[in-house]
Amino acid sequence: MSNEYDVNLRYGVDISLDLSDKVAVVTGGLGGIAMASNEMLLEKGARLALLYPSFEREKAATVAEQFDPARVLFVECDVAEPQSVEQAFATVASHYGQLDILINCAGYVMLQPVLETEFAEWQKQIAVNLTGPFLCSQAAARLMVKGGRGGKIINIASQAASIAIDNHVAYTSAKAGLLGMTKVMAKEFAPYNINVNTLSPTVVLTPMGEKAWRGEKGEAMKKLIPMGRFAYTDEIAAAVLFFASNGSDMITGADLMIDGGFTIW
């Protein structure tokens, strides 16, 4: 038997990143990274279901005016509550009849030193940043397995999952757990052609990120980033788009750093 191989063999990557036959759920669907991702996914032809918490009901109504209702469904959901998640994904399945992509964008952070972090605050950050992605990924994967089309699960983690940053104990713990969860899911879901990966941004210039890192603290952080700046939302969205496309079909259980070199240190 010859050991030679055909260098002309190709998988069939769609370099246009077309998603016209895909349905994507985006949790925290009204946030900065989510909105940038929504625009790119829609540009590539995807249909969306945007999950948002009850306290953003008025914002959802306003944002809904920007989108074609035939292509964007808005679903109220508490991502850390099992029954709410179950109902939300049932609504998506009933509305679209399929699910191909899940982007876990919902997030929450309160920066506090370890000794000042109250248990309730710890629980809230773990609930939104780790329990939420678990429940939503589980619900999405069940639909993907049932549909037999494979799928993509993209978890928004953080550079804080891989390197210690002061005042981030609850957030770091949740995001580090998200990396571990992603790896286990990637291994278990691979037989169903479901890819599970994380993106780990540095500080992103969302309203939440800008507020948390404004002033001298932010300028000091930028000095630790070799690229000398924070990330923009469309830079994260571009990575989301790649992981949602079939160009990433051979990537699973991976964590992509989008940190300007911060974690090189």
Side-chain angles (χ1 to χ4, degrees):
M1 179 180 294
S2 172
N3 289 326
E4 295 182 358
Y5 59 91
D6 185 353
V7 296
N8 294 312
L9 287 175
R10 295 291 185 270
Y11 175 68
V13 172
D14 181 359
I15 60 174
S16 73
L17 305 181
D18 179 57
L19 299 174
S20 58
D21 64 337
K22 306 296 184 182
V23 170
V25 166
V26 184
T27 74
L30 310 182
I33 292 173
M35 288 296 288
S37 299
N38 297 340
E39 292 179 9
M40 289 194 186
L41 294 169
L42 286 169
E43 185 176 331
K44 295 299 180 179
R47 291 169 291 164
L48 307 180
L50 307 186
L51 274 52
Y52 63 92
S54 59
F55 63 80
E56 290 190 328
R57 194 171 296 158
E58 291 185 8
K59 182 178 180 180
T62 300
V63 172
E65 297 175 359
Q66 305 173 27
F67 294 117
D68 179 355
R71 296 184 60 199
V72 183
L73 174 69
F74 289 79
V75 183
E76 191 172 304
C77 178
D78 177 351
V79 296
E81 207 289 311
Q83 290 185 336
S84 182
V85 170
E86 181 179 355
Q87 181 58 52
F89 279 82
T91 298
V92 173
S94 175
H95 185 82
Y96 285 125
Q98 68 184 77
L99 176 59
D100 305 285
I101 302 161
L102 168 66
I103 306 163
N104 279 310
C105 274
Y108 167 74
V109 62
M110 174 64 74
L111 305 183
Q112 295 175 315
V114 175
L115 297 180
E116 297 177 18
T117 300
E118 296 182 357
F119 183 58
E121 183 59 44
W122 168 273
Q123 286 184 305
K124 182 175 181 179
Q125 295 197 48
I126 296 296
V128 176
N129 298 316
L130 182 57
T131 301
F134 166 73
L135 292 174
C136 292
S137 296
Q138 186 183 59
R142 285 171 174 161
L143 291 176
M144 292 172 182
V145 170
K146 183 178 180 181
R149 293 163 53 94
K152 303 296 181 79
I153 297 176
I154 304 160
N155 295 319
I156 306 300
S158 168
Q159 63 184 11
S162 299
I163 190 167
I165 305 176
D166 290 345
N167 303 320
H168 279 66
V169 64
Y171 188 76
T172 285
S173 299
K175 294 298 189 178
L178 186 58
L179 297 190
M181 185 195 82
T182 294
K183 291 179 180 180
V184 174
M185 288 186 173
K187 190 170 184 180
E188 291 192 13
F189 297 166
Y192 304 102
N193 292 318
I194 299 171
N195 302 67
V196 192
N197 294 291
T198 57
L199 302 177
S200 286
T202 184
V203 177
V204 183
L205 293 172
T206 64
M208 183 173 69
E210 192 279 331
K211 180 179 180 181
W213 290 96
R214 68 175 51 151
E216 293 183 4
K217 180 172 66 172
E219 293 306 310
M221 172 61 95
K222 289 177 187 178
K223 292 178 181 178
L224 300 177
I225 300 173
M227 296 300 292
R229 65 176 177 85
F230 295 147
Y232 292 95
T233 55
D234 57 348
E235 292 179 303
I236 314 305
V240 168
L241 179 59
F242 168 66
F243 272 139
S245 77
N246 84 327
S248 66
D249 282 358
M250 197 59 178
I251 304 173
T252 197
D255 178 43
L256 176 60
M257 287 286 183
I258 313 176
D259 66 351
F262 181 78
T263 53
I264 289 173
W265 303 104

